[in-house]
Amino acid sequence: MKEYFVAKAEEVSEGGVVTVQAGKRVITVFKIDDEFYAMNNMCPHKGASLCEGKIDKARKVVRCPWHLWDWSVETGELEAYTKKRLPVYKVKVVNGDILLYTK
């Protein structure tokens, strides 16, 4: 697994997002209820940046800003069609640093 530094945990506000380049991937980290979740930033439908989408904290989804598709930040599943999913990644906070892990 590869490890990437994302940001200091204290720098990310509740409901905030941080987007990082992890190798060839662009990954967005979301903070919801003091937990961090990471998934591919690009909506596969038309390529919208999910980091620009609206977060629904209660449902833990991010809404694609172009076509309003809701993606679970926990599982990567598309709410309307759960067979469609985006890759999600492990995130940990270690000594105040948000770390992202990819294969």
Side-chain angles (χ1 to χ4, degrees), residues 2-13:
K2 290 191 177 186
E3 178 182 272
Y4 297 91
F5 171 79
V6 175
K8 290 287 191 186
E10 64 193 29
E11 296 172 346
V12 183
S13 61

Side-chain angles (χ1 to χ4, degrees), residues 14-103:
E14 180 61 30
V17 298
V18 178
T19 301
V20 295
Q21 184 78 39
K24 294 181 179 182
R25 293 169 249 190
V26 178
I27 298 173
T28 297
V29 178
F30 302 89
K31 183 178 181 181
I32 300 173
D33 295 331
D34 290 324
E35 295 289 328
F36 293 95
Y37 304 93
M39 64 194 305
N40 277 8
N41 183 52
M42 189 177 73
C43 180
H45 178 223
K46 295 283 184 177
S49 294
L50 294 177
C51 64
E52 297 173 7
K54 183 176 185 210
I55 298 171
D56 182 329
K57 289 174 43 176
R59 293 176 24 236
K60 293 189 179 176
V61 298
V62 60
R63 178 166 283 172
C64 173
W66 291 358
H67 299 103
L68 309 179
W69 289 17
D70 289 335
W71 298 93
S72 167
V73 298
E74 294 179 299
T75 65
E77 290 178 344
L78 177 60
E79 252 189 5
Y81 184 66
T82 57
K83 290 184 180 183
K84 186 104 173 143
R85 73 175 54 210
L86 291 170
V88 294
Y89 303 94
K90 184 177 179 180
V91 181
K92 280 187 182 179
V93 177
V94 178
N95 297 323
D97 294 340
I98 304 168
L99 302 176
L100 167 71
Y101 298 90
T102 65
K103 291 183 180 182

